[in-house]
């Protein structure tokens, strides 16, 4: 269950938050990055990335520009964490970007049963990979991944890999599951390989 402040702690919570935000926006409405940030809190690096990462991994993430927007949010937030900020600021042109509430709700409702199954596999382990020092390294890896997204977006399906890596890092931070952090590092290596072989070679 989410904390009293609404911060999600697993994928099922994230799906539920997306459905709730979509319903509040109403039919034909939209959910903005700013609304997502306000929902999870401006000190919540992991939950913010987790919600945005889930969006990026769904069909909504296939909309042109969404992976790049996701990468921009990751880069800005990770960069602030790296310089020691604990409250994250996003520029207005980012917070005002949005996705359709109807589409978002449909995707979240379909994802919720799968999310519940994944949540059963999560537990605190290898927690040193998710502590303050571990979070700093994760933020650096996420910043690198964010820079790959604009390039990999033009390669069919390639943007899925860095988005998956960032989502694994985010879920690892939220659930204090170092095993997922390791998965994130492995996916980061794959993303960098794709960048070099698909874009620069």
């Amino acid at each position: 269950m989410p904390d009293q402040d609404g911060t999600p702690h697993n994928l099922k919570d994230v799906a539920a938050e997306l459905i709730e935000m979509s319903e509040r926006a109403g039919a034909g409405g939209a959910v903005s990055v700013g609304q997502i940030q306000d929902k999870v809190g401006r000190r919540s690096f992991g939950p913010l990335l987790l919600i945005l990462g889930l969006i990026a991994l769904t069909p909504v993430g296939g909309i042109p520009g969404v992976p790049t927007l996701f990468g921009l949010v990751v880069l800005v937030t990770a960069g602030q964490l790296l310089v020691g900020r604990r409250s994250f600021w996003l520029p207005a042109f980012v917070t005002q970007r949005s996705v359709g509430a109807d589409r978002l709700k449909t995707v979240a409702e379909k994802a919720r049963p799968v999310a519940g199954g994944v949540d059963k596999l999560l537990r605190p382990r290898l927690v040193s990979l998710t502590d303050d020092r571990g979070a700093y390294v994760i933020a650096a890896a996420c910043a690198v991944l964010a820079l790959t997204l604009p390039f990999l977006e033009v390669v069919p399906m390639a943007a899925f890999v860095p988005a998956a890596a960032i989502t694994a890092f985010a879920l690892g931070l939220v659930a204090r599951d170092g095993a997922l952090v390791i998965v994130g590092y492995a996916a980061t290596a794959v993303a960098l390989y794709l960048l070099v072989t698909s874009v620069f070679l």
Side-chain angles (χ1 to χ4, degrees):
M1 294 293 293
D3 283 346
Q4 290 182 350
D5 63 359
T7 300
H9 280 282
N10 52 47
L11 284 174
K12 193 173 182 179
D13 286 348
V14 169
E17 295 290 355
L18 293 177
I19 291 171
E20 180 183 343
M21 285 188 284
S22 300
E23 290 176 342
R24 287 182 178 178
V31 176
S32 70
V33 173
Q35 288 174 310
I36 293 172
Q37 185 184 24
D38 288 340
K39 181 65 177 177
V40 301
R42 294 178 181 274
R43 295 177 181 268
S44 303
F45 178 66
L48 176 63
L49 291 189
L50 183 54
I51 288 180
L52 293 173
L54 181 61
I55 293 173
L57 290 176
T58 66
V60 173
I63 299 173
V66 169
T68 296
L69 175 64
F70 172 54
L72 180 59
V73 174
V74 172
L75 184 62
V76 172
T77 53
Q80 290 176 72
L81 183 63
L82 289 171
V83 298
R85 288 180 60 93
R86 295 298 179 181
S87 181
F88 302 114
W89 168 87
L90 292 174
F93 76 90
V94 172
T95 59
Q96 291 171 2
R97 294 294 297 271
S98 61
V99 296
D102 294 338
R103 176 177 290 188
L104 187 59
K105 182 180 179 181
T106 298
V107 169
E109 287 177 336
K110 290 181 178 179
R112 185 158 54 176
V114 177
V118 173
D119 288 338
K120 293 179 181 179
L121 303 176
L122 306 179
R123 64 181 186 275
R125 52 189 164 183
L126 301 174
V127 294
S128 62
L129 295 176
T130 66
D131 62 14
D132 288 344
R133 183 177 297 180
Y136 188 89
V137 178
I138 288 171
C142 286
V144 171
L145 288 164
L147 293 172
T148 71
L149 278 162
F151 298 98
L152 293 179
E153 183 177 354
V154 301
V155 180
M157 302 300 294
F160 174 88
V161 178
I166 292 169
T167 303
F169 282 136
L171 189 55
L173 286 173
V174 168
R176 300 189 69 217
D177 192 337
L180 274 173
V181 174
I182 293 173
V183 171
Y185 286 128
T188 299
V190 174
L192 293 175
Y193 174 80
L194 287 173
L195 179 68
V196 171
T197 57
S198 300
V199 178
F200 294 116
L201 291 183

